[in-house]
Amino acid sequence: MTAAEPLSAVVLISGSGSNLQALIDEAQRGLPIRIRAVISNEPDAFGLERARHAGILTRVLGHRDYPTRDDYDEALGTLIDEFEPGLVVLAGFMRILTPALVARFRGRMLNIHPSLLPKFRGLHTHQRALEAGEAIHGASVHFITEELDDGPLVLQARVPVEPGDDPDSLAARVLSREHRIYPQVVRWYAQGRLRLDASGRPVLDGRALDRPLQLDELTPEQIR
Ligand code: GRF
């Protein structure tokens, strides 16, 4: 028997691409995905360098070149489809997606957000968590639906806020957890263990998730 083909994936970025790097690193250690392309809406995104360095095809699709969000997302959907991905991974892609784009990739598009959703949707999550006096902050991986920074939650990492934290120190600790949870969720998906059911609930290993899994509670079977 031959090993299953790796799942083809397209990664969307806008910036640094450290989550992209975590996926590249894990793919080199056996995460069963093949990143067919990295697409950025920003030409200067450092993540493009990371992709090139790893020998991955890159594309820039600048949103400023399109008159409307609908036009841009139509072009983006067409570009993504050229690579026939089984999975579309948003890794710091700083755009609100149109319902048409979301529908096009429903059930095969993931996002990571730097908060314990549903808390702190949108931007500046670390600063807002500090201002709110949160004791625990974190990050969430979810399927994409029409809601901004929301959608069926799969896995979260909780990160304690420490005395003296500022938004940068907190962001750095959250980011290091992001680099654990995103490859884990992508692994489940690529292994065929994770899907979105007809009612829009994530299902892992045949069990519907009514609430997100937590990184520090995963069982050895789940981590495999
Ligand atoms: C991450 O914090 C991610 O959760 C958010 O944007 C940031 C992207 O970081 N959506 P990077 O580009 O992966 O380094």
Side-chain angles (χ1 to χ4, degrees), residues 15-19 92 112-114 175 178:
S16 156
S18 70
N19 278 290
I112 190 158
H113 182 76
L175 203 51
E178 292 186 36

Side-chain angles (χ1 to χ4, degrees), residues 126-145:
H126 310 299
Q127 189 181 327
R128 287 160 60 208
L130 289 170
E131 284 168 2
E134 297 287 330
I136 309 279
H137 185 42
S140 308
V141 177
H142 63 94
F143 282 100
I144 302 258
T145 62

Side-chain angles (χ1 to χ4, degrees), residues 13-21 50 90-94 111-115 126 139-140 149 171 174-175 178-179:
I13 62 165
S14 299
S16 156
S18 70
N19 278 290
L20 164 67
Q21 189 68 56
R50 298 181 190 266
L90 273 63
F93 186 61
M94 304 301 283
N111 186 40
I112 190 158
H113 182 76
S115 77
H126 310 299
S140 308
D149 291 334
V174 170
L175 203 51
E178 292 186 36
H179 301 160

Side-chain angles (χ1 to χ4, degrees), residues 29-215:
R29 294 188 204 114
L31 176 69
I33 60 166
R34 174 163 174 245
I35 303 176
R36 296 281 322 277
V38 170
I39 300 173
S40 174
N41 64 313
E42 295 288 359
D44 299 332
F46 181 65
L48 291 168
E49 297 275 321
R50 298 181 190 266
R52 285 185 206 112
H53 190 251
I56 298 168
L57 204 66
T58 60
R59 291 277 189 274
V60 174
L61 193 69
H63 56 279
R64 296 172 194 90
D65 298 336
Y66 291 82
T68 68
R69 192 175 288 280
D70 285 339
D71 291 324
Y72 181 76
D73 276 11
E74 174 64 28
L76 179 59
T78 301
L79 178 59
I80 293 170
D81 269 339
E82 277 177 31
F83 301 102
E84 301 180 343
L87 180 65
V88 181
V89 181
L90 273 63
F93 186 61
M94 304 301 283
R95 299 270 309 161
I96 296 171
L97 308 184
T98 57
L101 190 72
V102 171
R104 191 166 177 162
F105 298 105
R106 192 170 200 287
R108 55 188 176 113
M109 195 181 238
L110 293 170
N111 186 40
I112 190 158
H113 182 76
S115 77
L116 294 175
L117 289 169
K119 286 186 178 175
F120 309 119
R121 301 178 172 103
L123 299 175
H124 310 301
T125 56
H126 310 299
Q127 189 181 327
R128 287 160 60 208
L130 289 170
E131 284 168 2
E134 297 287 330
I136 309 279
H137 185 42
S140 308
V141 177
H142 63 94
F143 282 100
I144 302 258
T145 62
E146 285 75 4
E147 305 297 314
L148 169 65
D149 291 334
D150 214 339
L153 293 164
V154 179
L155 179 60
Q156 295 183 321
R158 294 183 282 230
V159 176
V161 177
E162 288 175 4
D165 257 337
D166 61 22
D168 288 344
S169 64
L170 187 53
R173 288 208 314 289
V174 170
L175 203 51
S176 76
R177 297 291 89 179
E178 292 186 36
H179 301 160
R180 292 277 308 282
I181 60 176
Y182 220 175
Q184 179 64 65
V185 174
V186 169
R187 180 181 303 276
W188 287 331
Y189 192 88
Q191 290 172 330
R193 297 166 61 192
L194 174 68
R195 64 184 172 84
L196 205 59
D197 74 8
S199 65
R201 268 187 318 181
V203 176
L204 178 68
D205 293 335
R207 189 167 68 88
L209 304 180
D210 294 318
R211 54 189 181 82
L213 296 163
Q214 300 295 330
L215 179 64

